[in-house]
Amino acid sequence: MRGFVRDNALSLFFLLAFAAALVGQSFAGTADYNARQLTEGGLPVTWADYVTSSDFAVDVAENWQSEYLQFLMFIMVTVWLVQRGSPESKPPGEEGGQSDREQRIGPFARPDSPAWAKAGGVRRSLYSNSLGWVMGLVFAASWFAQSVAGTAAYNNQRLSQLQDPVGWSGYVLSADFWNRTLQNWQSEFLAVLSMIVLAVYLRQRGSPESKPVGAGHAATGVES
């Protein structure tokens, strides 16, 4: 058990942090929702009612889709674009998908290589791009979930104001949907930009996200 925890400490830490933040959000969201309900002359709801509501679902989904978009774009863009001096980038001149030898696939696979990396045809092609595909699918699913939950939450608000509800397509084209979406996207893109550029000049000793403390600013794609 101790060995399992040590070998998986990073993922376990972020899993627990995620769970704690989600539970905290659910209680804080319930309190905020009930405060607005009382202000508007409505009735408060229970925690269980809130976490199964469209209001909670849209808040969660809109954050998830922006996070997965961030990683999807970072994964795909770094195949072709570089940033000299950043440990988040390949060295200039190594843009592209690299050769089979460099990627250790097909006849260049090693004994410990995944089975699909040793295979050919569709299986190798799928596995070669599987990380991007999964990130893209999760992003698309969470963005769709945001749009569906957002439509319900938006219509609840409109009905409380004696306005006609809108359809899913109407909501997806609305200012409310794109305001929710873009305010998350811009923060994610800024965070990635900051990481790429700051890691050129700043260091964090012992972190694989940083260059060695003594590495030159122009050193690219190296880890501590």
Side-chain angles (χ1 to χ4, degrees):
M1 182 63 181
R2 181 180 299 176
F4 173 83
V5 172
R6 181 199 62 197
D7 292 346
N8 299 278
L10 190 59
S11 57
L12 290 172
F13 171 83
F14 278 103
L15 177 61
L16 291 174
F18 159 73
L22 187 62
V23 171
Q25 177 190 350
S26 71
F27 282 105
T30 303
D32 179 65
Y33 182 83
N34 283 335
R36 286 186 280 112
Q37 284 286 94
L38 293 173
T39 300
E40 297 168 2
L43 296 174
V45 300
T46 65
W47 175 84
D49 287 334
Y50 177 71
V51 297
T52 56
S53 71
S54 58
D55 290 84
F56 181 69
V58 69
D59 287 341
V60 171
E62 75 179 43
N63 282 285
W64 287 10
Q65 59 89 3
S66 64
E67 296 294 342
Y68 278 96
L69 175 65
Q70 173 196 131
F71 283 107
L72 170 64
M73 291 191 67
F74 190 63
I75 290 166
M76 302 306 296
V77 169
T78 51
V79 175
W80 300 102
L81 303 181
V82 298
Q83 177 64 52
R84 182 180 295 275
S86 178
E88 305 299 322
S89 167
K90 295 185 291 188
E94 295 187 9
E95 296 90 341
Q98 301 182 314
S99 67
D100 287 357
R101 181 185 296 276
E102 291 171 310
Q103 287 292 305
R104 305 171 190 172
I105 58 178
F108 305 103
R110 298 180 176 180
D112 62 344
S113 296
W116 280 35
K118 301 175 183 178
V122 175
R123 286 192 297 168
R124 185 196 304 172
S125 178
L126 284 174
Y127 191 70
S128 296
N129 299 282
S130 55
L131 182 58
W133 276 112
V134 170
M135 287 290 187
L137 289 172
V138 175
F139 161 68
S142 56
W143 200 17
F144 179 71
Q146 176 197 344
S147 71
V148 173
T151 302
Y154 185 68
N155 282 334
N156 287 338
Q157 183 180 25
R158 289 180 64 86
L159 290 171
S160 69
Q161 298 170 350
L162 304 180
Q163 296 177 310
D164 292 332
V166 300
W168 176 82
S169 60
Y171 178 70
V172 169
L173 297 174
S174 71
D176 183 82
F177 177 77
W178 285 103
N179 178 54
R180 281 179 171 272
T181 297
L182 293 174
Q183 67 179 310
N184 282 283
W185 287 7
Q186 55 86 12
S187 64
E188 303 300 341
F189 297 152
L190 177 62
V192 173
L193 171 64
S194 301
M195 184 64 183
I196 291 170
V197 176
L198 292 178
V200 175
Y201 303 103
L202 305 179
R203 309 286 188 269
Q204 181 59 56
R205 185 169 183 164
S207 175
E209 302 305 316
S210 167
K211 295 184 288 189
V213 177
H217 292 327
T220 308
V222 295
E223 300 176 347
S224 60

